[in-house]
């Protein structure tokens, strides 16, 4: 049996980690739910009983084997080293350590071989990087990818529980003809799209989310040379990210070959039913663990036959965050 701590247990991802742990089948001796002082003392259901949220302190990790962090980079930078010093393996969902060369960045379906067994930090990637690499890594393993061009449609959940609430409240206010002053996102969210879901780097014009996805995708796929262009956009969807991806391979690859590889790829479900007009959608991706892949077609913009277009959708809170972290834990426990 293992002892697990969840840091940020009351946040959007923390709540999902609790749920994934309950469903994981792991033999849990202790589950310690940690959060800020503000949330401490709350009683929440867990398994057949309840647990009390505890305040995160320097002593929180005594006797803990595995600590799952989902509370933001600042908390991770301060407390993850303390958890490791106390003997725990940390699975960190923030961006604090992802690009550290000494820290593995893990999507179990893609690179579980890099998971170390000794105490230390394992980084859970950015949600877009996870959802993209689940189908793209097996394609790259068979036919080397030269270049990716990605446009995302990212849900409110990626900006946290408060942004999900802002989507609900601002939509209700809009429909009631009332004014809603944005509190979490900088601009009106209901019935809108933001082409700027993170601060834009003035030197490159790319936003922080786009830069993260480029770097992390290269690291996860062990392809530092991979050419990637991406536009990351926030849309008024609750919890699943979608993306349009154009994949340019080193040589010509047919849509049938792509479909055959993806059919057997772990974590991928092909949703590509022409007659039913049924393709990946964020509401179908929500609440389940697979990355849905469809609209698989030859890219007519590249007459060489080397490029394939795809559309993906995956639950940002599950495979894009909590589920991936718990799957790493399951691999660690064996
Ligand atoms: N940065 C992501 C987003 C979520 O804004 O949607 C975290 O991976």
């Amino acid at each position: 049996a293992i002892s697990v701590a969840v840091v940020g247990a009351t946040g959007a991802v923390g709540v999902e980690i609790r749920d994934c742990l309950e469903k994981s089948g792991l033999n849990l001796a202790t589950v310690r739910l940690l959060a800020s002082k503000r949330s401490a003392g709350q009683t929440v259901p867990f398994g057949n009983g309840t647990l009390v949220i505890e305040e995160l302190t320097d002593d929180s990790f005594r006797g803990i084997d595995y600590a799952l962090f989902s509370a933001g980079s600042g908390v991770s930078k301060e407390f993850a080293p303390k958890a490791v010093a106390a003997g725990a393996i940390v699975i960190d969902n923030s961006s604090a350590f992802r690009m550290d060369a000494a820290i593995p960045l893990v999507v179990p379906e893609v690179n579980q071989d890099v998971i170390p067994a000794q105490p230390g930090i394992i980084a859970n990637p950015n949600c877009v990087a996870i959802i993209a690499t689940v189908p793209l890594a097996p394609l790259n393993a068979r036919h080397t990818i030269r270049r990716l061009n990605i446009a995302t449609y990212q849900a409110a959940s990626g900006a946290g529980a408060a942004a999900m609430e802002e989507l609900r409240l601002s939509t209700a206010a809009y429909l009631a003809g009332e004014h809603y002053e944005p509190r979490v996102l900088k601009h009106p969210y209901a019935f809108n799209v933001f082409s700027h879901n993170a601060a834009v780097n003035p030197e490159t014009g790319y936003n922080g989310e786009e830069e993260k996805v480029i770097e992390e995708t290269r690291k996860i796929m062990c392809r530092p040379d991979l050419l990637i262009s991406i536009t990351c956009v926030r849309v008024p969807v609750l919890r699943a990210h979608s993306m349009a991806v154009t994949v340019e391979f080193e040589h010509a690859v047919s849509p049938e070959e792509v479909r055959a590889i993806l059919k057997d790829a772990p974590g991928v479900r092909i949703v590509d039913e022409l007659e039913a007009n049924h393709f990946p959608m964020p509401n179908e991706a929500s609440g389940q663990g697979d990355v849905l892949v469809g609209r698989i077609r030859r890219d007519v913009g590249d007459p060489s036959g080397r490029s394939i277009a795809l559309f993906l959708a995956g639950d940002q809170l599950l495979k894009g965050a909590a589920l991936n972290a718990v799957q790493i834990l399951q691999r660690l426990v064996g």
Side-chain angles (χ1 to χ4, degrees):
I2 55 169
S3 294
V4 177
V6 180
V7 179
T10 56
V13 175
V15 170
E16 299 293 332
I17 289 176
R18 279 154 46 188
D19 195 46
C20 290
L21 279 175
E22 286 184 295
K23 293 176 179 155
S24 66
L26 288 164
N27 188 358
L28 303 168
T30 307
V31 175
R32 193 170 293 157
L33 301 182
L34 302 162
S36 64
K37 195 175 185 139
R38 195 164 39 92
S39 302
Q42 283 177 34
T43 302
V44 296
F46 191 91
N48 297 324
T50 57
L51 289 172
V52 177
I53 306 282
E54 297 173 38
E55 183 185 353
L56 172 64
T57 69
D58 288 355
D59 291 329
S60 294
F61 302 101
R62 199 169 293 156
I64 292 295
D65 303 310
Y66 302 97
L68 283 76
F69 277 65
S70 62
S73 297
V75 172
S76 293
K77 278 185 192 144
E78 183 179 350
F79 286 94
K82 292 175 181 168
V84 173
I89 296 183
V90 168
I91 303 169
D92 181 39
N93 193 49
S94 81
S95 59
F97 308 105
R98 288 177 186 154
M99 291 314 297
D100 184 328
I103 303 240
L105 184 63
V106 180
V107 179
E109 292 89 339
V110 178
N111 62 348
Q112 64 167 327
D113 49 302
V114 301
I115 299 176
Q118 63 277 25
I121 298 170
I122 297 169
N124 204 42
N126 168 284
C127 45
V128 173
I130 296 175
I131 293 165
T133 53
V134 168
L136 294 178
L139 292 176
N140 180 64
R142 288 281 293 282
H143 302 285
T144 307
I145 296 174
R146 193 178 107 81
R147 179 160 48 180
L148 296 171
N149 200 330
I150 304 175
T152 71
Y153 307 76
Q154 293 179 234
S157 54
M164 295 170 82
E165 186 63 3
E166 181 141 309
L167 176 55
R168 290 190 188 95
L169 294 175
S170 63
T171 303
Y174 188 98
L175 293 173
E178 291 161 8
H179 174 74
Y180 182 89
E181 190 60 34
R183 290 165 213 173
V184 183
L185 299 161
K186 287 200 181 68
H187 305 278
Y189 194 11
F191 304 100
N192 201 5
V193 160
F194 305 140
S195 66
H196 37 271
N197 67 351
V200 170
N201 177 341
E203 278 170 32
T204 61
Y206 280 74
N207 73 40
E209 177 80 350
E210 293 158 354
E211 290 180 337
K212 274 189 216 169
V213 177
I214 292 171
E215 290 182 335
E216 293 183 26
T217 301
R218 288 176 175 153
K219 179 169 173 177
I220 296 161
M221 289 178 48
C222 273
R223 285 289 313 278
D225 58 331
L226 189 60
L227 301 172
I228 306 176
S229 185
I230 180 164
T231 302
C232 284
V233 169
R234 181 86 58 215
V235 297
V237 162
L238 265 184
R239 56 175 291 161
H241 286 3
S242 308
M243 54 193 101
V245 185
T246 303
V247 187
E248 183 190 334
F249 295 96
E250 291 284 0
H251 53 255
V253 177
S254 70
E256 292 69 34
E257 283 172 279
V258 166
R259 212 169 274 124
I261 295 165
L262 293 178
K263 198 164 76 56
D264 298 325
V268 170
R269 178 150 60 88
I270 297 182
V271 179
D272 214 9
E273 300 169 51
L274 210 62
E275 278 174 21
N277 196 25
H278 180 208
F279 302 104
M281 288 177 284
N283 68 353
E284 189 172 342
S286 297
Q288 57 82 59
D290 288 332
V291 175
L292 312 185
V293 184
R295 305 287 319 273
I296 302 169
R297 62 203 191 276
R298 194 181 292 288
D299 170 23
V300 295
D302 178 1
S304 74
R306 288 196 293 256
S307 298
I308 296 286
L310 311 167
F311 195 83
L312 320 178
D315 188 310
Q316 186 271 332
L317 291 172
L318 286 177
K319 187 57 193 170
L323 179 62
N324 198 69
V326 172
Q327 288 171 336
I328 294 171
L329 175 61
Q330 286 172 311
R331 300 310 201 269
L332 280 164
V333 174

